[in-house]
Every structure is written in structure tokens, then in C-alpha cells.
Amino acid sequence: MTIKTPIYMDNSATTQCDPRVVDKMVRYFAEDFGNAASRNHAFGWQAESAVDQAREEVALLLGAHPKEIVFTSGSTEANNLAIKGVAEMYASKGRHLISCVTEHKAVIDPLKHLEQQGYEVTWLEVDGMGRIDLEALRGAIRPDTILVSLMAANNETGTAHPIAEIGALCKERGVLFHTDATQVVGRMPIDVQSQGIDLLSLSAHKFYGPKGVGALYVRRKSPRVRLAPLMDGGGHERGMRSGTLNVPGIAGMGEAARLAREEFDQNVAKVQALRDRLEQGILAGLPDAVVNGDTEHRLPHLSNISFPYVEGESMIMGIKDVAVSSGSACTSASLEPSYVLKSLGLGDELAHSSIRFSVGRFNTEEEVDFVVDLVVREVTRLREMSPLWEMVQEGIDLSKVKWTHH
Amino acid sequence: MAYSDKVLDHYNNPRNVGALDKSAKDVGTGVVGAPECGDVMKLQIQVDDSGRIVDAKFKTYGCGSAIASSSLATEWLKGATIDEAMQIKNTQIVEELALPPVKIHCSVLAEDAIKAAIDDYRTKQGAEAPAES
Ligand SMILES: Cc1ncc(COP(=O)(O)O)c(C=O)c1O
């Protein structure tokens, strides 16, 4: 079998839409193109029935009630709606929120926005594996705390937070709990009841659905969560999200949710086996490569690895036959290392030389073996070219060298 | 990010990677840069009695443009006299490799590495043979 390059191993950025999902969507563009809010004719009823079915599927996936699902354009919007919606609605109760420094920008930035409006945010720190300290969370909760927002698993390192424990703690203290579960859907079990989740964000394109559609789960009972909408308009989605529904997208997400639920065990087993094969292969070939994050509690499909003594950009150049993400948000103008990896205590240098591999269920063992070979070969080649590697071989302690800063 | 064909060529087939005996009297070694800045270059020259560079080697930790700049520098150094080597300017490297503005610092580093290697060689010669010149 010949391998087609580049090989896609960036499934935490997005996934390929499942062909069954695409099939499901097509008829809602041309045939059943109605507006789900049209109550007077069959076009509208068809669309509404597609939306209802999708709502049912998304709810089933989360252990929720269909009436608790609000469709959005994705996780960014869902996070904004949860955070700003709670902040506005509960402002008379308090103006304090708790989150963490490793959250996605789609949580950090809405919170920063609130800080500018006079809200106060406690930013929890993480340890070297990206884990929060539950006692620190307990200590941060105050009488005026209205929301704890902590992601289910991190998009860069894969580290999973103990969601059920956080949910229980929030319940005990009477604080609402929002989780950004974008990376977790279809990859780790989610159950809003047993995990004590009040609000949960998801995005269809991370679980083999279409881009530009997602949802926010909003608890309806014990407690009933109320939200101020981000947008005012026709009052769709029980007033929480106005705007004509994206019927094809929602139908696609429903189908993706059904597949994620029904094929959960086999999908997780597959990506985990591929990830483990990849990680073990790379570590066997490059013993001083370092796996970042919590290797025990983490996403099954992701491995974030630092390669000491080789520089990140040259590495990406060397392994261009595989599509991955790097630890440096490397725009042409700046080489800013990842804030997530830095918060784990990685130096700029290691953060720069880290690669996020995230496999998906369309990857194969042959592709994994090809990537292992490629990475081991390129890192070895670049190391042989590296004066840092040479110094280390000579027994020089790099931290003691006097470098010429420029 | 788009690299020029010349950068890609040097990155894929770097010239003169390796090390010379840094304790030898006729070898000058220059190490410039810092790991946290993203690049470290080590450049070495071996010089014969007439002041001509007979061999040059490099090792670089850095992006593709840094690797290419130092690889190109060793090509230019081999066969050059010390005086000619002192004339190499970073702008020539920028031009030859078609480096974009964000990568100009790579060429500056390569020029610094050349100067540092020559300095080291001259210091050694001065220390060993104070009578000369
Ligand atoms: C953890 C996390 N939250 C939020 C998002 C944003 O999702 P979207 O761009 O689909 O709105 C992403 C995707 O990059 C993510 O990984």
C-alpha cells in the first residue's frame, strides 16, 4: 500500500466530516430547504423535524434532555453564551468567576472581556502536567462566585480535568459549573448528570461533523440555569440564541452525535491504539523526547511531544509530510511559544520544539509507522546538526553556558 | 511560511556539517546566539600558513533559514583568505538566500559567527606566535 502525503494528524484542530454525515446533510440544502421556524407548511415541518431529531441525538450523547440543547455556531459561541450569559443574568448574585490559565482562548477572552466590565476572575494555575489543584479551586470559591468554567480536556496537551469531582464541588457550594468539552465529545465519556455539569460547550467539527455548528447544553432542572442571550432577534432556541437555524449543519451534527455515541467504544479503542503506537514508536527511536501533559488522565487520541536540542520551526519543515500543530503559534511576524505549554513550566525552547500529534479514526497503522519513521529520522538528522546536542554529548551543562544574546 | 528554493536546498542538503578540533592551533571556533532566542550557530575555520581558509564546518540549532545561512557561510569561507572572509556581509547572505525580513537576523548571526571564528583563530595565533607581524 502506498501512503498518500501529507498525512493528516491534526484531529484536534478539526476532523474530516464522516461521509455518512455529509449524506445526511445534503437534502436539507436543496430538497427540504425549509426554515425550521415556519409553522404553516410542510417545508418548515420537515426542517423542524430534522432539528428535533438532531436535538434528540445531541442530548442522548450528553445524557441530557433535548430541551436543554441550544444550537450555536460552535464552541466559541457556546462558551461566550455560557460565560457572558451567566455573568449578565446572575450579576445581582455576584460578579466573581473562576477559570484556569490553560483554557482555550474562546473561554479566556470572554472572561477578560468581563474583567474589563468590572467582574473579577480567579485564574487557577496548573502543575507540570497541566492539572488543577481541587483544593485551590475549593479555596477560590466565594459567596459572590457565580460560575466555575473549566475545560473537560485541554486541546494542546490532552490533559483531562476531574470533571465529576469539580461538578460535585460546585454543586456542594451552589456555584454553576460550565465545561468546554470541545475536545472530549466522542473521545471520553460525558454524562451531565453524574458529572454535575450545568453548562457544556461542543463543536460538531471536532467529532466528524460539519464546521460552523455546535451547541450549548443548559441545565433545566436543579438548578434551572438562566442565560442572557448574546443576540436579540426572533427568539429562536427559547430566546437564548436568535437567528434562523442552520438546518443542514444541525442535521449533520445530529448524525455525527449518533455515530459518536453508537461507535464510541470502537472509535476510542482505535484512536488510542494508534496514538500509543505513535508515541511508543517515537520514544523508542528518540529516548530523550518528552511527552507533555498528564499521561494518565488525558485524551485518547493526542500526544504532545517536545524534542530537546532541535528547534521547532526547522522540525516542522523537516516533517512537512505530516500535518500537525506545533508549540509555537508561529506566525510570520512572531514566534510566540504556546501559553499552555509555558504554564506547565516548559521553557520557551522546549515549548518551541514541541509537536501536537492528534490522530483520528481515519488514520491507519501504516500512516502511524510512516510518521514515526519520518520524525525519528528528521529529529536525528537535525540533532546531528545541532551544536546543543554536541555540547550535551560532550558533557556540557547547557544551563551553565554563557550565551551571546543578540 | 514559504522558503526560497535556495534555503530549502541548504536545509535538505546542508554543506559542511561537522566539527573541527577546537583545540588545534590552526582552527578558529565561533559560537553565537542563545537557545531561548531560537538559534545557536557554531562555525569553525581551519587556516593554513598563508592565511587561507582550507576547511570550514558548522552546526546550527535554529530555523531553516539559520541552517541555510550558516551552510552558505561555510561554502563561501572555504578557499577564502582571512581578509576576504572579514568582508562577508550579512546582506550578501540575505540576497543569495532571498531571506524575508523576519529572517534577516539569521544572516546577522552568520556574519557574527564568521567574525567570532576569525577572532578566535587570531587570538590563538597571537598567543602562540607573538612575533608574527
Ligand atoms: C477546547 C476548545 N474550545 C473551543 C474551541 C473553538 O471551537 P470552534 O472554533 O469550533 O468554535 C476549540 C477549537 O479550536 C477547542 O479546542
Side-chain angles (χ1 to χ4, degrees), chain A residues 346-359:
Chain A
L346 260 74
D348 280 11
E349 194 190 328
L350 267 190
H352 274 311
S353 72
S354 74
I355 305 281
R356 177 186 74 180
F357 300 90
S358 50
V359 300

Side-chain angles (χ1 to χ4, degrees), chain A residues 226-246:
Chain A
R226 289 172 307 133
L227 294 178
L230 295 173
M231 294 180 292
D232 301 309
H236 307 74
E237 299 295 275
R238 283 166 294 119
M240 284 190 259
R241 206 280 190 175
S242 285
T244 297
L245 292 178
N246 169 7

Side-chain angles (χ1 to χ4, degrees), chain A residues 12-13 73-79 103-107 151 153-156 180-183 201-206 211-213 356:
Chain A
S12 271
S73 62
S75 281
T76 302
E77 186 188 336
N79 288 339
E103 289 291 319
H104 191 273
K105 288 281 181 201
V107 164
M151 68 203 321
N154 185 268
N155 50 296
E156 285 191 41
D180 175 352
T182 310
Q183 292 290 337
S201 307
L202 69 157
S203 210
H205 70 102
K206 308 281 185 176
K211 291 165 185 58
V213 58
R356 177 186 74 180

Side-chain angles (χ1 to χ4, degrees), chain A residues 19 29 61 75 94 97 109 117 149 200 234 250 273 333 339-340 365 368 385 390:
Chain A
F29 286 104
L61 181 64
S75 281
L97 303 90
D109 286 1
Q117 295 185 337
S149 179
L200 177 148
I250 289 168
Y339 66 92
V340 173
E365 279 192 0
V368 165
M385 236 190 272
E390 181 182 77

Side-chain angles (χ1 to χ4, degrees), chain A residues 54-128:
Chain A
R55 205 184 294 282
E56 185 96 23
E57 282 301 341
V58 173
L60 273 175
L61 181 64
L62 307 175
H65 189 279
K67 286 199 171 135
E68 298 177 310
I69 304 303
V70 175
F71 290 117
T72 66
S73 62
S75 281
T76 302
E77 186 188 336
N79 288 339
N80 272 269
L81 177 56
I83 292 166
K84 294 174 180 168
V86 164
E88 186 178 332
M89 191 57 92
Y90 293 83
S92 58
K93 180 184 180 234
R95 299 183 136 239
H96 177 240
L97 303 90
I98 300 171
S99 190
C100 176
V101 293
T102 56
E103 289 291 319
H104 191 273
K105 288 281 181 201
V107 164
I108 291 181
D109 286 1
L111 286 168
K112 289 210 167 133
H113 184 93
L114 290 177
E115 281 182 322
Q116 278 167 359
Q117 295 185 337
Y119 288 81
E120 198 186 326
V121 178
T122 298
W123 298 97
L124 299 176
E125 299 289 334
V126 294
D127 68 10

Side-chain angles (χ1 to χ4, degrees), chain A residues 326-375:
Chain A
S326 83
S328 41
C330 173
T331 62
S332 57
S334 77
L335 254 180
E336 201 37 49
S338 143
Y339 66 92
V340 173
L341 294 178
K342 285 183 79 169
S343 67
L344 266 60
L346 260 74
D348 280 11
E349 194 190 328
L350 267 190
H352 274 311
S353 72
S354 74
I355 305 281
R356 177 186 74 180
F357 300 90
S358 50
V359 300
R361 59 179 160 86
F362 294 115
N363 285 123
T364 63
E365 279 192 0
E366 289 75 19
E367 288 177 332
V368 165
D369 293 346
F370 178 92
V371 171
V372 167
D373 250 28
L374 176 68
V375 169

